[in-house]
């Protein structure tokens, strides 16, 4: 099962075929696509909306599938899902903003942001991350977990590339550790 | 995290622009409610108006080919996906779905109905607020009644 962008061209083709069928109203294809994309959507939502992950996942999936018919290039499915999901996750996270400043000693304990698998964050990292402002969390997810460049991250978030750069700088200085060791 | 069956059906309803979607908490145990939903051949003709018969091959397979028989003996072939708390059925014309999850000592149950041909989409959009919700609620009421009739109720 695909859990996000990867290099396997067969998976991409399978996904594109499912997207085309779902766009034609094939509910079984839509269901299969939903099963395939949910882990990826969850992976994006969890660090951005840690207190409301289930809501963020549901609202992202609703937004994705409502708009699916309008997606012109089925091959661009995952990039498009990422854009929709990050926007929805930020929106959901902002609804219930409870931000408590990160303590310096908590930051010092962090050895690195990724776990061995490289796609999920440890509970400790998530805890610290959850106390960063939501716009910093979104930038970190796009730049460090998704590997987007500043211009692409800016497009997803609907802000200027310079804003992404300054937010990233601020977020990194809060963590004081590298995300990609 | 995977989405629960009711959330999954809600997302599909949004994606399909379903004319009929309703969900509700039923004050009956999950097993009792799902026993009705999962008994497609026995119960679906009680739940769906104008459905005379729903022929499903026996066996525990989660993928089946079923045949719906209408009032004038018209037939429609359905692909069926059946799993605990989850049922999705699709013919060339119609999509139907049911989902259930435990909610305390009760059950959250959802039903979906949609048409497939794109020409019917505008009709479906009109149908949803006018009749879809009422039909959906009526379906849920009948599921509840049928569940109460089950042994052990």
């Amino acid at each position: 099962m695909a859990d996000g962008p990867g290099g396997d061209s067969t998976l991409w083709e399978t996904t594109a075929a499912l997207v085309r069928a779902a766009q034609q109203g094939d509910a079984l294809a839509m269901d299969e696509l939903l099963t395939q994309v949910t882990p990826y959507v969850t992976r994006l939502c969890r660090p951005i909306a840690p207190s409301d992950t289930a809501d963020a996942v549901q609202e992202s999936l609703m937004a994705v599938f409502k708009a699916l018919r309008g997606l012109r290039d089925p091959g661009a499915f995952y990039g498009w899902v990422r854009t929709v999901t990050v926007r929805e996750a930020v929106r959901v996270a902002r609804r219930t903003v409870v931000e408590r400043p990160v303590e310096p000693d908590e930051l010092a304990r962090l050895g690195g942001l990724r776990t061995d698998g490289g796609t999920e964050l440890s509970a400790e990292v998530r805890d610290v991350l959850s106390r960063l402002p939501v716009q910093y969390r979104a930038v970190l997810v796009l730049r460090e977990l998704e590997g987007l460049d500043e211009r692409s991250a800016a497009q997803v978030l609907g802000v200027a590339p310079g804003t992404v750069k300054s937010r990233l700088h601020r977020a990194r200085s809060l963590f004081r550790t590298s995300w990609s060791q | 995290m995977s989405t629960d069956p009711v959330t999954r059906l809600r997302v599909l309803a949004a994606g399909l622009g379903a004319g009929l979607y309703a969900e509700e908490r039923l004050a009956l145990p999950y097993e009792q409610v799902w026993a009705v939903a999962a008994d497609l051949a026995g119960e679906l003709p009680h739940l769906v108006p104008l459905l005379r018969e729903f022929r499903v091959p026996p066996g525990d397979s989660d993928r089946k080919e079923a045949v719906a028989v209408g009032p004038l003996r018209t037939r429609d072939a359905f692909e069926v996906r059946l799993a605990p708390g989850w049922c999705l059925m699709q013919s060339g014309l119609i999509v139907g779905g049911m989902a259930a999850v435990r909610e305390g000592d009760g059950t959250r149950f959802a039903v979906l109905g949609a048409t497939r041909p794109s020409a019917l989409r505008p009709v479906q959009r009109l149908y949803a607020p006018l009749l879809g919700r009422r039909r959906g609620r009526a379906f849920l009421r009948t599921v509840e009644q049928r569940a109460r009739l089950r042994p052990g109720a």
Side-chain angles (χ1 to χ4, degrees), chain A residues 33-63:
Chain A
L33 196 60
L34 178 58
T35 303
Q36 204 175 93
V37 80
T38 299
Y40 179 54
V41 167
T42 306
R43 201 175 86 196
L44 289 169
C45 287
R46 196 173 277 146
I48 298 174
S51 313
D52 311 279
T53 305
D55 283 355
V57 169
Q58 186 189 194
E59 293 194 25
S60 299
L61 290 171
M62 294 280 269

Side-chain angles (χ1 to χ4, degrees), chain A:
Chain A
M1 179 188 293
D3 64 350
D8 189 334
S9 60
T10 313
L11 273 179
W12 281 101
E13 285 161 22
T14 309
T15 302
L18 284 176
V19 170
R20 278 189 283 271
Q23 286 177 322
Q24 297 302 311
D26 182 335
L28 300 180
M30 199 178 277
D31 185 41
E32 210 168 311
L33 196 60
L34 178 58
T35 303
Q36 204 175 93
V37 80
T38 299
Y40 179 54
V41 167
T42 306
R43 201 175 86 196
L44 289 169
C45 287
R46 196 173 277 146
I48 298 174
S51 313
D52 311 279
T53 305
D55 283 355
V57 169
Q58 186 189 194
E59 293 194 25
S60 299
L61 290 171
M62 294 280 269
V64 163
F65 282 88
K66 266 185 186 168
L68 185 65
R69 215 181 290 275
L71 177 66
R72 285 189 188 161
D73 177 10
F77 179 66
Y78 273 106
W80 175 73
V81 166
R82 177 172 56 208
T83 301
V84 174
T85 299
V86 169
R87 285 179 187 166
E88 286 298 313
V90 167
R91 194 176 58 76
V92 169
R94 279 187 172 145
R95 282 200 311 233
T96 54
V97 177
V98 182
E99 283 164 6
R100 182 166 64 86
V102 182
E103 299 295 333
D105 62 326
E106 289 176 310
L107 291 169
R109 284 205 305 276
L110 299 175
L113 285 170
R114 288 175 189 243
T115 55
D116 293 342
T119 57
E120 285 286 359
L121 304 175
S122 74
E124 190 176 15
V125 170
R126 282 208 302 271
D127 178 54
V128 175
L129 190 61
S130 71
R131 280 178 266 132
L132 290 177
V134 64
Q135 64 267 35
Y136 293 171
R137 297 202 295 262
V139 167
L140 282 171
V141 167
L142 290 173
R143 289 284 283 124
E144 305 296 348
L145 284 182
E146 288 295 301
L148 292 194
D149 60 24
E150 277 167 15
R151 183 186 293 270
S152 306
Q155 278 175 352
V156 170
L157 295 169
V159 298
T163 307
V164 167
K165 194 172 185 172
S166 62
R167 283 180 187 173
L168 188 64
H169 178 73
R170 175 78 179 133
R172 278 176 173 158
S173 71
L174 282 169
F175 267 104
R176 291 187 202 156
T177 50
S178 166
W179 274 65
S180 48
Q181 289 184 351

Side-chain angles (χ1 to χ4, degrees), chain A residues 26-27 31 58 65 69, chain B residues 1 8 10 15 90 116 121:
Chain A
D26 182 335
D31 185 41
Q58 186 189 194
F65 282 88
R69 215 181 290 275
Chain B
M1 180 188 293
R8 197 165 137 197
R10 204 182 295 147
Q90 174 170 275
R116 285 193 68 189
R121 262 179 226 135

